[in-house]
Amino acid sequence: MKDVFKKLVLAVGAMAAFAFLPIRAEAQSPYSPMFWSFEGGVGLAMPMGDIADSAESGPSFSGAASYFVRPRLALRAEGALDMLGTKGAIDPNFQILHLTGGVEYHLTDPMGSATLAVDFGVGASTLNSDAFLLQNNPSPGRHTVGLVNGSYPSVNAGIKAGFNLARHAESGVPMVTLFASADLRYVMTDEENTRVYGELNNVSGYSSIMEIPLSVGLRVNFP
């Protein structure tokens, strides 16, 4: 897992470094690519893979900042909070906080009326749950108090479609964008540390946690 994460970090770093290399065609762009974007979104996080046997979908909240270094390429920092439930009789508050950094690439001209972009980042995710009671565990008549927490390496990939609204008068940069997005979040967890959560539904722990959040939100650009 650590080797895979190191390769992902190197890949994102290489893409970020490439963003600063000059390209003659882009230098002829009629507008300056140097502007900031800030966005916020809300939606639904759906657990996937093995954890889908235990966890239920829950609300998702996200925020991000992007800095355009080229007309279609931006450096990106993102934070998200996913709040999952469980399918067991006990329903602990299970939260996953994601913090990632990476790149964002626009498949269409971000200055147009509609936008389509993809992003990729690496970072860390922190698991946190309320304490809950495992009855008759580890044996009949005995009870164990469970708690899931810890931080682990994670990766995030997403796609976003939006509609640009009012524009900045001088630069022509869209000021507000309404968007809908879908992401894939993959957390490299520890099977032993997450075992207690799996036992709520008589399954083992998880070596990884995967989610697909679907969100809508608002993006504001500052030229």
Side-chain angles (χ1 to χ4, degrees):
M1 288 292 185
K2 292 183 178 180
D3 291 339
V4 173
F5 186 70
K6 288 180 179 179
K7 292 179 180 179
L8 290 171
V9 171
L10 290 174
V12 173
M15 287 187 286
F18 179 76
F20 291 97
L21 296 177
I23 290 184
R24 180 174 300 177
E26 290 186 349
Q28 298 173 352
S29 172
Y31 64 94
S32 171
M34 304 296 185
F35 65 88
W36 284 95
S37 289
F38 298 92
E39 67 181 58
V42 60
L44 182 70
M46 300 179 294
M48 306 296 292
D50 293 338
I51 197 174
D53 295 332
S54 301
E56 287 186 333
S57 300
S60 176
F61 306 92
S62 62
S66 301
Y67 181 66
F68 280 77
V69 294
R70 288 187 178 177
R72 295 194 181 193
L73 185 64
L75 303 180
R76 179 181 177 88
E78 182 175 0
L81 176 63
D82 299 329
M83 306 174 68
L84 304 179
T86 180
K87 294 181 179 179
I90 307 172
D91 189 14
N93 180 24
F94 184 45
Q95 301 178 349
I96 308 179
L97 175 64
H98 307 271
L99 297 174
T100 59
V103 293
E104 170 186 321
Y105 183 77
H106 285 250
L107 303 174
T108 60
D109 186 351
M111 300 288 286
S113 59
T115 63
L116 181 64
V118 293
D119 62 80
F120 180 78
V122 297
S125 296
T126 300
L127 312 183
N128 184 42
S129 77
D130 293 338
F132 50 91
L133 187 67
L134 290 174
Q135 298 182 349
N136 298 319
N137 184 288
S139 61
R142 299 181 63 185
H143 309 311
T144 300
V145 175
L147 182 68
V148 180
N149 55 28
S151 296
Y152 306 93
S154 62
V155 296
N156 180 83
I159 185 168
K160 179 185 291 86
F163 182 75
N164 292 329
L165 301 178
R167 296 178 180 273
H168 186 263
E170 296 180 2
S171 65
V173 172
M175 296 180 64
V176 179
T177 301
L178 299 176
F179 70 83
S181 65
D183 290 85
L184 175 63
R185 295 175 185 153
Y186 185 84
V187 186
M188 305 172 194
T189 57
D190 183 275
E191 186 170 349
E192 182 61 27
N193 291 345
T194 56
R195 175 183 55 83
V196 66
Y197 185 74
E199 287 181 353
L200 290 173
N201 291 276
N202 299 316
V203 299
S204 61
Y206 313 99
S207 59
S208 64
I209 291 177
M210 186 165 59
E211 303 172 273
I212 295 182
L214 303 176
S215 304
V216 294
L218 191 67
R219 180 170 180 141
V220 180
N221 300 322
F222 294 90

